[in-house]
Amino acid sequence: MNSVNPTTDRIRGTLLAFYRSFMFPTSESMRRWALAAIVVNIGITVTGAAVRVTGSGLGCPTWPRCTPDSFVPARIDTHAPVNMAIEFGNRLLSFLVLAVAVACVIAAWQLSRGERGRPVLLRLALVQPAGVLVQALWGGVVVHTLLNPVTVSVHFLLSIGMTAAAVVLFARAGEGDAPARRLVHKDIRTLAYVLAAAAFALLLAGVVVTGTGPHSGDEAASRFGFDIQSVVRLHTDIVYVVVGLTFALLFALHVTGSPVRARRGALVLLGVELSQGVIGYVQYFLAVPAALVLLHVLGATLVWICALRVVFLMRSRGPAPVPAPEQPEPHHAGV
């Protein structure tokens, strides 16, 4: 019995801590839920790419059902079971994204209550479940258009938008609500905004390359009618612009004695960009192998997140307010 009690208590304590993280949230637990939203949005973006590179884009040929007669994979002669499993698994991951989104909303709603409430967090958190709904409906459009590259590109960009909203929620949960105060020269912060815009342009160029090249997701899928060499060259040119802007930002932060956290954030961004560049060149010369495509998609989302993060590191809104005292711990009798 003595060996059971500590295990039971640990499980009970873990579940209680999990419950309190969104029902009686602090700024720190709100940030953890926002971080979880970032992670699951990255996850569904990368697994979406896995659906495409494995040719499983129409593994579930109907929507919202997987097959005409079933919501779950069922044997049909026109589709391989493994492709159905991959596509259906990606659909199931949407429920994890939704669960985290709901937890973010509950935690943000709790923090928005009272005189010292922060309604801005609730507004930001609501983007997550709304985004899941839009993504789910748009997934139906993608299926019914037989993976048209325009609809597939929008599907990816919606995930990028949800990731950006989660990054903003993460940043705002860890700071106060005072007017934003610049920590760097205004021209340097403008440069950071330009860099973030260039990173978004890079994502747009990337989806054009994706919609033009191989790995369409299914043999029935159409492709953009662009010359692949031309769109790859355009994408590469924008990469040089983004990396150049990052170097310029790092130099400006260094010579002006800007806060260490801003310089560190820009340095991390540069490291991610260089790693992404190496992956991009290797996959190009190896004829775009599937595994490297997944790494490249992961790298693209990390570049986007780091670019947004740099913007928030260049200003301050003061410390996050301390929430009202939490409810007392419930008493549990010994087992």
Side-chain angles (χ1 to χ4, degrees):
M1 180 64 70
N2 290 336
S3 62
V4 175
N5 284 337
T7 302
T8 303
D9 290 342
R10 281 196 298 270
I11 294 174
R12 181 185 293 117
T14 300
L15 293 176
L16 179 61
F18 176 77
Y19 171 78
R20 293 176 66 84
S21 68
F22 57 86
M23 290 305 299
F24 302 102
T26 62
S27 295
E28 186 58 35
S29 65
M30 181 74 254
R31 278 168 65 86
R32 287 196 294 268
W33 279 114
L35 180 60
I38 294 172
V39 171
V40 295
N41 277 294
I42 292 174
I44 200 167
T45 302
V46 175
T47 57
V51 170
R52 179 168 51 81
V53 299
T54 57
S56 306
L58 294 176
C60 287
T62 63
W63 187 94
R65 290 183 172 90
C66 183
T67 66
D69 301 317
S70 175
F71 282 97
V72 298
R75 185 176 180 83
I76 54 177
D77 295 335
T78 56
H79 292 78
V82 65
N83 295 133
M84 297 183 72
I86 293 172
E87 164 63 6
F88 186 70
N90 185 246
R91 291 189 183 189
L92 286 180
L93 190 57
S94 298
F95 290 99
L96 175 60
V97 179
L98 179 61
V100 174
V102 170
C104 284
V105 170
I106 295 173
W109 180 69
Q110 295 287 9
L111 289 175
S112 70
R113 301 165 63 189
E115 295 181 359
R116 301 178 65 184
R118 307 187 64 195
V120 62
L121 298 182
L122 180 58
R123 290 194 295 269
L124 290 171
L126 285 170
V127 174
Q128 296 302 311
V132 173
L133 175 61
V134 172
Q135 278 282 55
L137 295 175
W138 193 259
V141 175
V142 172
V143 171
H144 288 298
T145 59
L146 299 179
L147 307 184
N148 182 284
V150 174
T151 60
V152 174
S153 298
V154 172
H155 207 36
F156 171 80
L157 293 175
L158 285 171
S159 290
I160 289 298
M162 290 178 63
T163 302
V167 171
V168 177
L169 178 61
F170 177 84
R172 292 293 284 117
E175 61 186 9
D177 296 317
R181 177 175 59 86
R182 287 187 292 103
L183 300 176
V184 299
H185 191 277
K186 63 179 182 179
D187 292 339
I188 296 178
R189 193 170 183 213
T190 299
L191 179 59
Y193 281 121
V194 172
L195 174 56
F200 183 70
L202 183 59
L203 291 175
L204 290 178
V207 297
V208 173
V209 173
T210 297
T212 305
H215 304 305
S216 62
D218 192 272
E219 293 180 357
S222 59
R223 302 272 78 197
F224 287 129
F226 305 119
D227 175 65
I228 186 62
Q229 295 294 333
S230 298
V231 293
V232 168
R233 191 175 301 113
L234 173 63
H235 182 63
T236 304
D237 290 342
I238 299 176
V239 168
Y240 291 144
V241 171
V242 171
V243 174
L245 288 172
T246 306
F247 268 114
L249 181 64
L250 266 172
F251 179 76
L253 290 171
H254 178 74
V255 298
T256 57
S258 299
V260 173
R261 66 174 191 160
R263 284 180 280 165
R264 185 180 297 123
L267 187 60
V268 169
L269 172 60
L270 179 62
V272 173
E273 289 170 354
L274 295 178
S275 300
Q276 176 75 334
V278 170
I279 294 171
Y281 274 109
V282 172
Q283 73 169 1
Y284 177 77
F285 288 113
L286 294 181
V288 200
L292 288 183
V293 171
L294 300 185
L295 282 178
H296 202 58
V297 171
L298 174 61
T301 60
L302 294 179
V303 168
W304 176 233
I305 290 168
C306 292
L308 294 175
R309 185 67 180 143
V310 165
V311 172
F312 286 99
L313 292 175
M314 294 187 179
R315 61 103 173 94
S316 173
R317 290 180 178 270
V322 178
E326 297 184 353
Q327 299 295 322
E329 295 278 357
H331 176 72
H332 297 285
V335 177

